[in-house]
Short mmCIF file of all heavy atoms in Angstrom, two decimals:
data_model
loop_
_atom_site.label_atom_id
_atom_site.label_comp_id
_atom_site.label_asym_id
_atom_site.label_seq_id
_atom_site.Cartn_x
_atom_site.Cartn_y
_atom_site.Cartn_z
N PHE A 820 124.91 84.01 120.15
CA PHE A 820 124.73 83.13 121.21
C PHE A 820 125.87 83.42 122.15
O PHE A 820 127.09 83.65 121.75
CB PHE A 820 124.83 81.66 120.81
CG PHE A 820 124.91 80.76 121.99
CD1 PHE A 820 123.79 80.33 122.61
CD2 PHE A 820 125.97 80.13 122.39
CE1 PHE A 820 123.70 79.56 123.66
CE2 PHE A 820 126.07 79.17 123.36
CZ PHE A 820 124.92 78.86 124.06
N ALA A 821 125.72 83.56 123.46
CA ALA A 821 126.73 83.79 124.48
C ALA A 821 126.73 82.72 125.62
O ALA A 821 125.69 82.27 125.84
CB ALA A 821 126.58 85.23 125.00
N ASP A 822 127.88 82.47 126.15
CA ASP A 822 127.97 81.45 127.15
C ASP A 822 129.15 81.92 128.05
O ASP A 822 130.23 82.40 127.68
CB ASP A 822 128.32 80.09 126.56
CG ASP A 822 128.36 79.07 127.55
OD1 ASP A 822 127.51 78.89 128.50
OD2 ASP A 822 129.26 78.12 127.50
N ILE A 823 128.87 81.70 129.34
CA ILE A 823 129.92 81.98 130.27
C ILE A 823 130.30 80.61 131.00
O ILE A 823 129.46 79.96 131.49
CB ILE A 823 129.58 82.94 131.43
CG1 ILE A 823 129.24 84.34 130.76
CG2 ILE A 823 130.62 83.16 132.53
CD1 ILE A 823 128.70 85.31 131.82
N GLY A 824 131.55 80.21 130.77
CA GLY A 824 132.10 78.97 131.36
C GLY A 824 133.34 79.18 132.03
O GLY A 824 133.79 80.33 132.29
N PRO A 825 134.00 78.08 132.30
CA PRO A 825 135.21 78.16 133.07
C PRO A 825 136.42 78.97 132.41
O PRO A 825 137.11 79.62 133.07
CB PRO A 825 135.67 76.79 133.23
CG PRO A 825 134.53 75.87 132.95
CD PRO A 825 133.64 76.78 132.10
N ALA A 826 136.33 79.00 131.11
CA ALA A 826 137.26 79.72 130.28
C ALA A 826 136.89 81.18 130.12
O ALA A 826 137.72 81.96 129.57
CB ALA A 826 137.57 79.12 128.99
N GLY A 827 135.73 81.67 130.51
CA GLY A 827 135.27 83.05 130.43
C GLY A 827 133.98 83.08 129.59
O GLY A 827 133.27 82.20 129.31
N LEU A 828 133.88 84.36 128.98
CA LEU A 828 132.68 84.57 128.13
C LEU A 828 133.07 84.29 126.62
O LEU A 828 134.15 84.58 126.13
CB LEU A 828 132.46 86.16 128.17
CG LEU A 828 131.43 86.70 127.21
CD1 LEU A 828 130.05 86.20 127.57
CD2 LEU A 828 131.41 88.21 127.29
N ALA A 829 132.18 83.57 125.92
CA ALA A 829 132.29 83.32 124.60
C ALA A 829 130.96 83.74 123.82
O ALA A 829 129.97 83.45 124.29
CB ALA A 829 132.59 81.80 124.40
N ILE A 830 131.18 84.59 122.81
CA ILE A 830 129.94 85.04 122.07
C ILE A 830 130.30 84.62 120.56
O ILE A 830 131.28 84.80 119.95
CB ILE A 830 129.93 86.56 122.10
CG1 ILE A 830 129.88 86.94 123.54
CG2 ILE A 830 128.63 86.92 121.36
CD1 ILE A 830 129.98 88.59 123.63
N THR A 831 129.21 83.94 120.03
CA THR A 831 129.21 83.55 118.64
C THR A 831 128.18 84.38 117.93
O THR A 831 127.02 84.61 118.46
CB THR A 831 128.88 82.08 118.55
OG1 THR A 831 129.77 81.34 119.22
CG2 THR A 831 128.92 81.68 117.06
N GLY A 832 128.45 84.90 116.78
CA GLY A 832 127.59 85.75 115.93
C GLY A 832 127.52 85.22 114.45
O GLY A 832 128.44 84.67 114.09
N MET A 833 126.41 85.59 113.85
CA MET A 833 126.21 85.11 112.56
C MET A 833 125.32 86.16 111.84
O MET A 833 124.39 86.64 112.44
CB MET A 833 125.69 83.73 112.42
CG MET A 833 125.64 83.18 111.14
SD MET A 833 124.22 83.13 110.06
CE MET A 833 122.93 82.66 111.00
N VAL A 834 125.67 86.34 110.61
CA VAL A 834 124.98 87.24 109.71
C VAL A 834 124.73 86.59 108.40
O VAL A 834 125.72 86.03 107.87
CB VAL A 834 125.49 88.69 109.46
CG1 VAL A 834 124.69 89.55 108.47
CG2 VAL A 834 125.70 89.37 110.85
N SER A 835 123.54 86.54 107.83
CA SER A 835 123.25 85.84 106.63
C SER A 835 122.45 86.72 105.63
O SER A 835 121.76 87.63 106.01
CB SER A 835 122.48 84.50 106.87
OG SER A 835 121.21 84.74 107.15
N SER A 836 122.51 86.33 104.41
CA SER A 836 121.74 86.99 103.35
C SER A 836 120.30 86.58 103.61
O SER A 836 119.92 85.71 104.34
CB SER A 836 122.16 86.62 101.97
OG SER A 836 122.01 85.21 101.84
N LEU A 837 119.27 87.33 103.05
CA LEU A 837 117.89 87.19 103.36
C LEU A 837 117.52 85.70 102.80
O LEU A 837 116.65 85.08 103.39
CB LEU A 837 117.00 88.18 102.57
CG LEU A 837 117.10 89.55 103.33
CD1 LEU A 837 116.35 90.56 102.42
CD2 LEU A 837 116.54 89.49 104.81
N ASP A 838 118.16 85.27 101.74
CA ASP A 838 117.75 83.99 101.32
C ASP A 838 118.61 82.87 101.92
O ASP A 838 118.30 81.65 101.57
CB ASP A 838 117.96 83.91 99.68
CG ASP A 838 119.35 84.16 99.27
OD1 ASP A 838 120.35 84.25 100.17
OD2 ASP A 838 119.61 84.17 97.99
N GLY A 839 119.49 83.19 102.78
CA GLY A 839 120.23 82.14 103.52
C GLY A 839 121.30 81.58 102.67
O GLY A 839 122.13 80.62 103.11
N ASP A 840 121.62 82.12 101.45
CA ASP A 840 122.61 81.52 100.56
C ASP A 840 124.01 81.80 100.99
O ASP A 840 124.94 81.12 100.77
CB ASP A 840 122.33 82.04 99.18
CG ASP A 840 123.28 81.33 98.16
OD1 ASP A 840 123.35 80.12 98.15
OD2 ASP A 840 123.76 81.97 97.29
N ARG A 841 124.17 83.10 101.58
CA ARG A 841 125.53 83.42 102.10
C ARG A 841 125.49 83.89 103.51
O ARG A 841 124.48 84.41 104.01
CB ARG A 841 125.96 84.60 101.28
CG ARG A 841 126.28 84.35 99.77
CD ARG A 841 126.42 85.65 98.98
NE ARG A 841 125.01 86.24 98.83
CZ ARG A 841 124.85 87.55 98.97
NH1 ARG A 841 125.87 88.41 99.15
NH2 ARG A 841 123.66 88.00 98.82
N SER A 842 126.45 83.49 104.22
CA SER A 842 126.60 83.84 105.65
C SER A 842 127.99 84.01 106.07
O SER A 842 128.86 83.52 105.57
CB SER A 842 125.83 82.84 106.49
OG SER A 842 126.41 81.61 106.49
N VAL A 843 128.27 84.70 107.21
CA VAL A 843 129.39 84.85 107.75
C VAL A 843 129.21 84.53 109.42
O VAL A 843 128.20 84.90 109.87
CB VAL A 843 130.12 86.24 107.64
CG1 VAL A 843 130.46 86.44 106.24
CG2 VAL A 843 129.24 87.38 108.11
N ARG A 844 130.14 83.93 110.02
CA ARG A 844 130.04 83.50 111.32
C ARG A 844 131.35 83.74 112.09
O ARG A 844 132.48 83.55 111.39
CB ARG A 844 129.72 82.07 111.44
CG ARG A 844 129.45 81.52 112.85
CD ARG A 844 129.18 80.06 112.72
NE ARG A 844 128.71 79.55 113.98
CZ ARG A 844 127.59 79.08 114.38
NH1 ARG A 844 126.58 79.02 113.47
NH2 ARG A 844 127.24 78.73 115.66
N ALA A 845 131.37 84.15 113.32
CA ALA A 845 132.59 84.40 114.03
C ALA A 845 132.41 84.18 115.52
O ALA A 845 131.20 84.06 115.93
CB ALA A 845 133.10 85.90 113.81
N ARG A 846 133.47 84.14 116.29
CA ARG A 846 133.33 83.89 117.73
C ARG A 846 134.48 84.69 118.48
O ARG A 846 135.58 84.92 117.89
CB ARG A 846 133.74 82.37 118.00
CG ARG A 846 133.64 82.09 119.50
CD ARG A 846 133.96 80.54 119.59
NE ARG A 846 134.01 80.12 120.91
CZ ARG A 846 133.07 79.54 121.73
NH1 ARG A 846 131.92 79.37 121.12
NH2 ARG A 846 133.37 79.18 122.92
N ALA A 847 134.11 85.33 119.50
CA ALA A 847 135.01 86.13 120.30
C ALA A 847 134.94 85.63 121.81
O ALA A 847 133.84 85.25 122.23
CB ALA A 847 134.77 87.57 120.15
N GLU A 848 136.08 85.64 122.48
CA GLU A 848 136.10 85.27 123.85
C GLU A 848 136.90 86.24 124.62
O GLU A 848 137.74 86.93 124.19
CB GLU A 848 136.89 83.96 123.93
CG GLU A 848 136.15 82.74 123.08
CD GLU A 848 136.98 81.46 123.20
OE1 GLU A 848 138.08 81.44 123.75
OE2 GLU A 848 136.44 80.55 122.57
N GLY A 849 136.55 86.31 126.02
CA GLY A 849 137.22 87.24 126.86
C GLY A 849 136.62 87.02 128.23
O GLY A 849 135.82 86.16 128.62
N ARG A 850 136.98 88.01 129.04
CA ARG A 850 136.45 87.98 130.44
C ARG A 850 135.05 88.54 130.54
O ARG A 850 134.72 89.46 129.77
CB ARG A 850 137.40 88.81 131.36
CG ARG A 850 138.76 88.29 131.46
CD ARG A 850 139.69 89.04 132.29
NE ARG A 850 139.16 90.11 132.93
CZ ARG A 850 139.75 91.01 133.49
NH1 ARG A 850 141.11 91.14 133.28
NH2 ARG A 850 139.27 92.03 134.16
N PRO A 851 134.18 88.02 131.46
CA PRO A 851 132.80 88.49 131.47
C PRO A 851 132.73 89.93 131.83
O PRO A 851 131.83 90.67 131.38
CB PRO A 851 132.20 87.65 132.56
CG PRO A 851 132.99 86.38 132.55
CD PRO A 851 134.42 86.80 132.19
N ASP A 852 133.64 90.45 132.71
CA ASP A 852 133.61 91.95 132.91
C ASP A 852 134.12 92.84 131.83
O ASP A 852 133.99 94.07 131.95
CB ASP A 852 134.49 92.11 134.32
CG ASP A 852 135.99 91.95 134.12
OD1 ASP A 852 136.25 91.09 133.26
OD2 ASP A 852 136.77 92.53 134.86
N GLU A 853 134.42 92.19 130.74
CA GLU A 853 134.81 93.03 129.51
C GLU A 853 133.89 92.62 128.38
O GLU A 853 134.34 92.58 127.22
CB GLU A 853 136.26 92.67 129.10
CG GLU A 853 137.25 93.12 130.09
CD GLU A 853 138.76 92.95 129.82
OE1 GLU A 853 138.95 92.05 128.87
OE2 GLU A 853 139.60 93.48 130.49
N ALA A 854 132.66 92.38 128.68
CA ALA A 854 131.62 91.95 127.74
C ALA A 854 131.46 92.88 126.51
O ALA A 854 131.40 92.44 125.36
CB ALA A 854 130.37 91.56 128.30
N ALA A 855 131.52 94.21 126.76
CA ALA A 855 131.35 95.19 125.71
C ALA A 855 132.54 95.09 124.71
O ALA A 855 132.31 95.12 123.49
CB ALA A 855 131.30 96.56 126.30
N ALA A 856 133.64 94.83 125.28
CA ALA A 856 134.85 94.75 124.40
C ALA A 856 134.84 93.48 123.64
O ALA A 856 135.23 93.41 122.38
CB ALA A 856 136.11 94.88 125.15
N VAL A 857 134.36 92.47 124.26
CA VAL A 857 134.34 91.10 123.57
C VAL A 857 133.23 91.25 122.33
O VAL A 857 133.48 90.80 121.36
CB VAL A 857 133.93 89.93 124.46
CG1 VAL A 857 133.72 88.67 123.71
CG2 VAL A 857 134.96 89.80 125.55
N GLY A 858 132.05 91.97 122.70
CA GLY A 858 131.11 92.14 121.59
C GLY A 858 131.58 93.05 120.52
O GLY A 858 131.34 92.69 119.30
N ALA A 859 132.39 94.04 120.75
CA ALA A 859 132.96 94.92 119.73
C ALA A 859 133.96 94.10 118.91
O ALA A 859 133.99 94.36 117.68
CB ALA A 859 133.58 96.08 120.35
N ASP A 860 134.72 93.29 119.47
CA ASP A 860 135.65 92.45 118.70
C ASP A 860 134.88 91.48 117.81
O ASP A 860 135.26 91.35 116.56
CB ASP A 860 136.51 91.60 119.76
CG ASP A 860 137.44 90.73 118.98
OD1 ASP A 860 138.07 91.13 117.97
OD2 ASP A 860 137.61 89.52 119.40
N LEU A 861 133.76 90.85 118.30
CA LEU A 861 132.93 90.12 117.45
C LEU A 861 132.43 90.81 116.29
O LEU A 861 132.46 90.36 115.12
CB LEU A 861 131.90 89.37 118.23
CG LEU A 861 130.96 88.56 117.41
CD1 LEU A 861 131.56 87.34 116.80
CD2 LEU A 861 129.74 88.15 118.45
N ALA A 862 131.86 92.03 116.52
CA ALA A 862 131.34 92.92 115.45
C ALA A 862 132.32 93.13 114.36
O ALA A 862 132.16 93.14 113.18
CB ALA A 862 130.71 94.18 116.04
N ARG A 863 133.66 93.55 114.87
CA ARG A 863 134.70 93.88 113.91
C ARG A 863 135.02 92.66 113.03
O ARG A 863 135.27 92.72 111.81
CB ARG A 863 136.00 94.22 114.72
CG ARG A 863 135.94 95.77 115.18
CD ARG A 863 137.23 96.15 115.59
NE ARG A 863 137.55 95.64 116.91
CZ ARG A 863 137.19 96.04 118.05
NH1 ARG A 863 136.44 97.02 118.08
NH2 ARG A 863 137.59 95.35 119.19
N GLN A 864 135.04 91.43 113.74
CA GLN A 864 135.33 90.24 112.87
C GLN A 864 134.25 90.09 111.83
O GLN A 864 134.63 89.71 110.70
CB GLN A 864 135.41 89.06 113.89
CG GLN A 864 136.53 88.90 114.81
CD GLN A 864 136.44 87.67 115.62
OE1 GLN A 864 136.31 86.59 115.05
NE2 GLN A 864 136.60 87.81 116.93
N LEU A 865 132.98 90.09 112.26
CA LEU A 865 131.97 89.90 111.27
C LEU A 865 131.98 90.96 110.07
O LEU A 865 131.77 90.57 109.02
CB LEU A 865 130.50 89.97 112.11
CG LEU A 865 130.27 88.86 112.92
CD1 LEU A 865 129.05 89.12 113.81
CD2 LEU A 865 130.01 87.51 112.11
N LEU A 866 132.27 92.20 110.46
CA LEU A 866 132.34 93.22 109.33
C LEU A 866 133.56 92.87 108.52
O LEU A 866 133.54 92.97 107.22
CB LEU A 866 132.47 94.63 109.94
CG LEU A 866 131.32 95.17 110.67
CD1 LEU A 866 131.66 96.43 111.34
CD2 LEU A 866 130.15 95.32 109.67
N ASP A 867 134.65 92.41 109.03
CA ASP A 867 135.82 92.00 108.20
C ASP A 867 135.52 90.82 107.31
O ASP A 867 136.06 90.78 106.21
CB ASP A 867 136.97 91.66 109.13
CG ASP A 867 137.68 92.86 109.77
OD1 ASP A 867 137.41 94.03 109.38
OD2 ASP A 867 138.46 92.76 110.74
N LEU A 868 134.57 90.03 107.68
CA LEU A 868 134.15 88.85 106.93
C LEU A 868 133.11 89.19 105.87
O LEU A 868 132.66 88.36 105.04
CB LEU A 868 133.64 87.77 107.86
CG LEU A 868 134.75 87.08 108.73
CD1 LEU A 868 134.10 86.23 109.74
CD2 LEU A 868 135.74 86.31 107.83
N GLY A 869 132.60 90.45 105.84
CA GLY A 869 131.66 90.82 104.90
C GLY A 869 130.08 91.04 105.39
O GLY A 869 129.26 91.20 104.61
N ALA A 870 130.06 91.07 106.61
CA ALA A 870 128.64 91.22 107.22
C ALA A 870 127.96 92.58 106.88
O ALA A 870 126.83 92.60 106.69
CB ALA A 870 128.74 91.07 108.85
N GLY A 871 128.79 93.67 106.78
CA GLY A 871 128.28 94.94 106.31
C GLY A 871 127.60 94.85 105.01
O GLY A 871 126.59 95.40 104.76
N ASP A 872 128.17 94.13 104.04
CA ASP A 872 127.57 94.01 102.67
C ASP A 872 126.23 93.22 102.77
O ASP A 872 125.21 93.53 102.10
CB ASP A 872 128.51 93.30 101.74
CG ASP A 872 129.80 94.03 101.49
OD1 ASP A 872 129.64 95.33 101.54
OD2 ASP A 872 130.67 93.43 101.15
N LEU A 873 126.20 92.21 103.54
CA LEU A 873 124.90 91.36 103.80
C LEU A 873 123.89 92.26 104.36
O LEU A 873 122.71 92.20 103.98
CB LEU A 873 125.31 90.18 104.52
CG LEU A 873 126.16 89.16 104.03
CD1 LEU A 873 126.48 88.05 104.94
CD2 LEU A 873 125.51 88.48 102.74
N LEU A 874 124.26 93.02 105.38
CA LEU A 874 123.25 93.90 106.01
C LEU A 874 122.73 94.95 105.07
O LEU A 874 121.52 95.34 105.04
CB LEU A 874 123.81 94.48 107.36
CG LEU A 874 124.10 93.43 108.42
CD1 LEU A 874 124.92 94.17 109.53
CD2 LEU A 874 122.86 92.86 109.01
N ALA A 875 123.67 95.55 104.38
CA ALA A 875 123.27 96.64 103.34
C ALA A 875 122.36 96.04 102.38
O ALA A 875 121.28 96.70 101.97
CB ALA A 875 124.50 97.27 102.77
N GLU A 876 122.58 94.93 101.89
CA GLU A 876 121.79 94.23 100.87
C GLU A 876 120.46 93.95 101.48
O GLU A 876 119.28 94.29 100.81
CB GLU A 876 122.34 92.81 100.49
CG GLU A 876 121.68 92.11 99.47
CD GLU A 876 122.34 90.85 99.11
OE1 GLU A 876 123.49 90.83 98.62
OE2 GLU A 876 121.69 89.67 99.29
N ALA A 877 120.31 93.49 102.76
CA ALA A 877 119.08 93.34 103.29
C ALA A 877 118.29 94.62 103.52
O ALA A 877 116.95 94.59 103.63
CB ALA A 877 119.17 92.64 104.70
N ALA A 878 119.01 95.70 103.65
CA ALA A 878 118.35 97.02 103.88
C ALA A 878 118.03 97.67 102.68
O ALA A 878 117.85 98.86 102.54
CB ALA A 878 119.31 97.99 104.78
N GLY A 879 118.09 97.06 101.53
CA GLY A 879 117.75 97.64 100.27
C GLY A 879 118.89 98.32 99.63
O GLY A 879 118.62 99.26 98.81
N GLY A 880 120.04 97.91 99.94
CA GLY A 880 121.26 98.61 99.29
C GLY A 880 121.88 99.73 99.99
O GLY A 880 122.87 100.35 99.60
N ARG A 881 121.14 100.16 101.04
CA ARG A 881 121.69 101.33 101.88
C ARG A 881 122.75 100.82 102.85
O ARG A 881 122.57 99.85 103.55
CB ARG A 881 120.51 101.92 102.73
CG ARG A 881 119.44 102.53 101.85
CD ARG A 881 118.37 103.20 102.79
NE ARG A 881 117.98 102.45 103.87
CZ ARG A 881 116.96 101.51 103.83
NH1 ARG A 881 116.30 101.30 102.65
NH2 ARG A 881 116.60 100.77 104.88
N PRO A 882 123.94 101.46 102.82
CA PRO A 882 124.97 101.05 103.65
C PRO A 882 124.55 101.31 105.13
O PRO A 882 124.20 102.43 105.46
CB PRO A 882 126.29 101.73 103.27
CG PRO A 882 125.73 102.87 102.42
CD PRO A 882 124.38 102.53 101.87
N LEU A 883 124.77 100.24 106.01
CA LEU A 883 124.44 100.45 107.43
C LEU A 883 125.66 100.81 108.28
O LEU A 883 125.41 101.27 109.30
CB LEU A 883 123.74 99.20 107.92
CG LEU A 883 122.43 98.83 107.23
CD1 LEU A 883 121.92 97.48 107.73
CD2 LEU A 883 121.44 99.85 107.31
N VAL A 884 126.82 100.51 107.72
CA VAL A 884 128.10 100.82 108.51
C VAL A 884 128.98 101.62 107.54
O VAL A 884 128.96 101.35 106.38
CB VAL A 884 128.66 99.60 109.04
CG1 VAL A 884 127.87 98.88 110.13
CG2 VAL A 884 129.08 98.63 107.81
N PRO A 885 129.70 102.47 108.15
CA PRO A 885 130.63 103.33 107.22
C PRO A 885 131.78 102.35 106.72
O PRO A 885 132.09 101.37 107.36
CB PRO A 885 131.24 104.43 108.13
CG PRO A 885 130.96 103.86 109.49
CD PRO A 885 129.81 102.97 109.53
N PRO A 886 132.26 102.68 105.57
CA PRO A 886 133.34 101.93 104.97
C PRO A 886 134.62 101.96 105.88
O PRO A 886 134.82 102.97 106.48
CB PRO A 886 133.67 102.68 103.59
CG PRO A 886 132.68 103.61 103.43
CD PRO A 886 131.88 103.82 104.71
N ARG A 887 135.33 100.86 106.04
CA ARG A 887 136.47 100.89 106.84
C ARG A 887 137.57 101.42 106.07
O ARG A 887 137.80 101.13 104.79
CB ARG A 887 136.78 99.39 107.22
CG ARG A 887 135.60 98.85 108.16
CD ARG A 887 135.87 97.71 108.78
NE ARG A 887 136.97 98.01 109.90
CZ ARG A 887 137.18 97.30 110.79
NH1 ARG A 887 136.71 96.11 110.92
NH2 ARG A 887 138.17 97.63 111.58
N PRO A 888 138.42 102.11 106.74
CA PRO A 888 139.61 102.69 106.05
C PRO A 888 140.65 101.58 105.61
O PRO A 888 140.72 100.59 106.01
CB PRO A 888 140.23 103.70 107.01
CG PRO A 888 139.61 103.34 108.35
CD PRO A 888 138.47 102.49 108.12
#
């Protein structure tokens, strides 16, 4: 979900397991003209919280994102 308000752009993202038992949620904020960077920040936050594992599980165990160093 994304919203542009007086404070700027706010994007909220969530990734959950297929059964809905586990999920991660994050929010990133920034300037509307830097939307791509705000989205990238949100993606990094979700991956740091375990979204990559949830997505790989949903894809049948195939990793969808490379391991982080």
Side-chain angles (χ1 to χ4, degrees):
F820 176 78
D822 183 42
I823 297 177
L828 173 66
I830 307 174
T831 301
M833 194 257 315
V834 176
S835 72
S836 60
L837 291 175
D838 62 7
D840 188 44
R841 293 167 289 134
S842 66
V843 294
R844 184 181 186 114
R846 179 179 174 99
E848 298 177 356
R850 295 181 8 199
D852 63 335
E853 296 179 347
V857 176
D860 179 43
L861 176 62
R863 279 189 293 277
Q864 288 182 53
L865 290 168
L866 290 172
D867 288 344
L868 292 170
D872 293 336
L873 294 172
L874 292 170
E876 182 181 303
R881 295 183 314 272
L883 300 178
V884 293
R887 297 196 66 168

